[in-house]
């Protein structure tokens, strides 16, 4: 667990169980899609809502309603109330819900500045952990390690707003699955606890037999990964010595970036995702080029995940619950990316990586047996990545308090990833979240501004 240097005052702690009339047990095997993430750090999301209320109203009205709606929602998302069972001796890991399992819900109060936390300019990263829930500690038996998969926290900023914190074990589900849960819970809470009003598109599909595994990836991934690391993620150490900022690309910015590439590389398949990631990648490389002695032939990598659900054979429904991601790796060199044409090289590298994996004629899983080793080789290398996707719009989540004022991906404090989501305020725009030492983030902002002005 992380030791919170900036903790909020805990008002209540609850263990929320699904209703007693739900099924007594649900066991799902972890597939290779899930096993990949078994030793990954927890995923932490924060949603800030500009909803002024008193402490009395919060505790007497909002909290009871949230507890009831959470219970109703968990009836449909039983794996989130359960645990991952990690065998120590034989067998593969699996997800298990049994009657009596629950989700940890913390109710807290913070005296921090709500407005400071919800702006775009640099803010001290440590300050956000007052709102970040921690997964309960693992339970150890002679044969297994039992890993909780979800923790929730509602933090009141008296007479200013509330923050919903969601922390999940990545092996239980990817962004598609967790965002569906968040939206389903919001729907139930907004409709005063009526689970019948959950959009059918949000209800999870659990059939793991629908995922074909002709190459035996489940077994090969497990045999490889179980030898690699400890079962539990290392704790977060404070201070982080980082600040986090949000950068906005408007629809016009994105169109200019795409036009810039296509004017010079008309044969390239370019998307908003491609040019946004390429721009951030190059700006980050240029920041490091100014402060570190790096050789021009030093490899530079950019990694991200692509949803496989609709690209498997046979395809899975969009509501498939769990992980279903392909790994995509773009590669270039430090010398190419820091040069005048760095953005073009980055866009080309990312575009070709997408073509090679996502649009592979042999299928999106072609070469998947090598993914763990390929990405294992990148440990200690210059690797940047993406957390989140514009496909999952958390700014349309409404618990009855209106749309969120701000989304933050706290998880990016722990690695070199950027967060990416739809813009709240600019139709067709994108929000980029970064967490870096202040001097590097300031340098990034200057380089980014200059790059956009030249378009």
């Amino acid at each position: 667990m992380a030791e919170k240097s900036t903790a909020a005052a805990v008002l209540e702690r609850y263990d929320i169980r699904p209703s007693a009339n739900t099924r007594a047990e649900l066991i799902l095997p972890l597939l290779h899609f899930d096993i990949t993430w078994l030793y990954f750090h927890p995923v932490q999301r924060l949603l800030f809502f500009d909803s002024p209320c008193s402490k009395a109203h919060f505790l007497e009205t909002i909290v009871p309603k949230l507890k009831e709606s959470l219970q109703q929602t968990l009836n449909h998302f039983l794996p989130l109330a359960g645990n991952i069972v990690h065998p120590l001796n034989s067998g593969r890991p699996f997800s298990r819900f049994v009657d009596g399992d629950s989700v940890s819900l913390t109710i807290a109060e913070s005296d921090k500045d709500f407005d400071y936390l919800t702006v775009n300019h640099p803010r001290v990263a440590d300050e956000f952990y007052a709102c970040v829930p921690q997964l309960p500690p693992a339970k150890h038996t002679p044969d297994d390690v039992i890993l909780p998969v979800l923790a929730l926290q509602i933090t009141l900023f008296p007479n200013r707003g509330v923050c919903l914190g969601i922390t999940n074990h990545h092996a239980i589900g990817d962004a598609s699955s967790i965002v569906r849960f968040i939206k389903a819970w919001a729907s139930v809470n907004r409709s005063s606890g009526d689970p019948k009003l959950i959009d059918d598109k949000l209800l999870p599909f659990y059939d793991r037999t629908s995922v074909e595994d002709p190459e035996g990836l489940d077994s090969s991934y497990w045999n490889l990964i179980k030898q690699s690391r400890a079962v539990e993620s290392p704790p977060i150490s404070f201070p982080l010595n980082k600040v986090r900022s949000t950068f906005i690309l408007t629809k016009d910015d994105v169109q200019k970036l795409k036009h810039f590439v296509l004017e010079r590389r008309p044969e390239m398949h370019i998307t908003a995702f491609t040019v946004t990631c390429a721009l951030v990648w190059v700006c980050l490389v240029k920041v490091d080029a100014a402060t570190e002695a790096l050789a021009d032939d030093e490899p530079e990598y950019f990694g991200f995940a692509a949803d496989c659900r609709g690209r498997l054979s046979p395809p899975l429904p969009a509501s498939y619950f769990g992980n279903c991601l392909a790994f995509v790796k773009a590669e270039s060199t430090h010398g190419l990316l820091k040069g005048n044409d760095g953005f073009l090289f980055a866009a080309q590298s990312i575009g070709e990586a997408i073509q090679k994996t996502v649009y592979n004629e042999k299928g999106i899983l072609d070469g998947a047996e090598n993914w763990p080793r390929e990405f294992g080789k990148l440990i200690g290398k210059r690797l940047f990545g993406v957390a989140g996707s514009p496909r999952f719009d958390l700014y349309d989540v409404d618990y009855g308090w209106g749309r969120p004022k701000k989304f933050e991906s706290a998880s990016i404090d722990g690695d070199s990833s950027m967060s990416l989501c739809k813009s709240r305020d600019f139709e067709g725009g994108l929000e980029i979240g970064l967490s870096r030492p202040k001097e590097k983030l300031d340098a990034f902002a200057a380089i980014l501004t200059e790059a956009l002005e030249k378009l």
Side-chain angles (χ1 to χ4, degrees):
M1 287 179 61
E3 185 175 331
K4 291 192 179 182
S5 62
T6 56
V10 174
L11 304 177
E12 299 283 353
R13 281 197 175 95
Y14 301 102
D15 293 321
I16 306 298
R17 300 177 179 179
S19 302
N21 59 356
T22 57
R23 60 193 295 175
E25 184 178 65
L26 177 61
I27 294 178
L28 300 173
L30 294 197
L31 307 184
H32 66 275
F33 289 120
D34 311 301
I35 292 170
T36 299
W37 303 101
L38 197 57
Y39 303 142
F40 196 72
H41 62 69
V43 181
Q44 300 157 327
R45 299 175 176 90
L46 297 173
L47 290 172
F48 291 87
F49 295 87
D50 191 353
S51 179
C53 67
S54 66
K55 183 175 180 179
H57 178 75
F58 176 70
L59 292 175
E60 295 168 9
T61 304
I62 292 179
V63 171
K65 190 175 178 181
L66 282 168
K67 288 167 58 183
E68 180 184 358
S69 60
L70 176 58
Q71 180 186 57
Q72 296 290 342
T73 308
L74 288 173
N75 292 342
H76 299 282
F77 290 84
L78 294 179
L80 294 179
N83 300 276
I84 288 173
V85 180
H86 183 299
L88 297 176
N89 301 313
S90 62
R92 294 207 301 265
F94 56 93
S95 160
R96 179 181 66 194
F97 167 80
V98 295
D99 188 26
D101 284 346
S102 60
V103 170
S104 169
L105 173 64
T106 300
I107 310 300
E109 179 182 9
S110 176
D111 59 1
K112 296 188 180 300
D113 187 339
F114 183 86
D115 293 322
Y116 168 79
L117 294 174
T118 55
V119 293
N120 292 336
H121 61 61
R123 295 141 295 156
V124 177
D126 295 38
E127 295 293 304
F128 291 85
Y129 285 82
C131 301
V132 176
Q134 302 300 317
L135 291 174
K139 297 177 182 177
H140 295 259
T141 73
D143 298 319
D144 305 299
V145 179
I146 313 300
L147 301 164
V149 299
L150 181 66
L152 302 168
Q153 180 172 319
I154 310 294
T155 305
L156 170 69
F157 295 78
N159 301 310
R160 194 61 194 87
V162 295
C163 177
L164 170 60
I166 307 106
T167 298
N168 67 275
H169 197 301
H170 203 320
I172 199 64
D174 54 22
S176 174
S177 296
I178 302 304
V179 169
R180 285 173 187 278
F181 161 73
I182 294 170
K183 291 186 175 184
W185 182 17
S187 176
V188 176
N189 196 73
R190 190 174 63 249
S191 60
S192 300
D194 186 353
K196 295 178 182 178
L197 296 181
I198 297 179
D199 188 335
D200 287 344
K201 295 179 182 178
L202 298 176
L203 295 177
F205 175 82
Y206 289 125
D207 185 4
R208 297 289 166 100
T209 65
S210 300
V211 185
E212 295 189 359
D213 184 27
E215 305 299 324
L217 294 176
D218 294 350
S219 294
S220 63
Y221 273 43
W222 173 235
N223 290 334
L224 182 65
I225 290 174
K226 70 181 179 182
Q227 304 170 18
S228 61
R229 285 182 54 183
V231 173
E232 297 174 70
S233 297
I236 300 172
S237 298
F238 294 101
L240 295 169
N241 298 316
K242 292 182 177 182
V243 296
R244 54 170 49 240
S245 288
T246 302
F247 302 90
I248 307 296
L249 290 186
T250 65
K251 183 178 181 179
D252 186 50
D253 291 331
V254 173
Q255 291 302 321
K256 287 180 180 179
L257 289 169
K258 292 166 74 172
H259 178 73
F260 182 88
V261 175
L262 290 174
E263 206 174 36
R264 294 157 179 81
R265 300 282 195 278
E267 75 284 359
M268 288 182 60
H269 176 68
I270 290 298
T271 65
F273 177 87
T274 304
V275 295
T276 300
C277 291
L279 180 64
V280 174
W281 188 15
V282 165
C283 291
L284 289 171
V285 168
K286 289 184 176 182
V287 168
D288 290 345
T291 57
E292 302 176 32
L294 296 166
D296 283 354
D297 62 353
E298 177 78 23
E300 298 276 4
Y301 300 97
F302 194 90
F304 51 97
D307 194 316
C308 288
R309 286 168 175 80
R311 298 187 180 277
L312 297 182
S313 181
L316 293 173
S319 58
Y320 172 82
F321 185 91
N323 290 278
C324 195
L325 300 170
F327 290 103
V328 185
K329 178 186 69 174
E331 181 176 357
S332 189
T333 64
H334 185 70
L336 288 177
L337 296 185
K338 74 175 184 180
N340 291 335
D341 292 327
F343 172 61
L344 284 175
F345 284 118
Q348 182 174 344
S349 177
I350 293 172
E352 289 175 352
I354 292 172
Q355 288 292 133
K356 179 181 176 181
T357 302
V358 178
Y359 300 106
N360 191 316
E361 292 181 357
K362 296 179 181 179
I364 196 168
L365 296 183
D366 181 49
E369 66 277 6
N370 300 317
W371 289 346
R373 288 185 177 87
E374 286 183 10
F375 276 82
K377 292 177 183 177
L378 300 183
I379 295 174
K381 304 291 186 180
R382 288 184 53 77
L383 171 67
F384 300 99
V386 183
S389 166
R391 294 180 57 238
F392 309 120
D393 186 9
L394 282 169
Y395 279 118
D396 68 359
V397 170
D398 183 0
Y399 282 78
W401 319 317
R403 298 167 62 216
K405 180 178 182 181
K406 197 71 166 66
F407 164 71
E408 294 284 349
S409 173
S411 313
I412 63 172
D413 291 329
D415 55 36
S416 59
S417 296
M418 69 184 218
S419 66
L420 185 63
C421 66
K422 287 184 178 180
S423 169
R424 181 191 191 279
D425 299 317
F426 295 92
E427 182 68 29
L430 297 171
E431 281 189 13
I432 299 158
L434 284 174
S435 176
R436 293 288 191 281
K438 187 177 188 306
E439 62 277 7
K440 288 202 170 188
L441 203 59
D442 288 345
F444 172 87
I447 293 171
L448 178 69
T449 300
E450 182 182 1
L452 292 174
E453 288 175 347
K454 288 182 178 179
L455 293 176

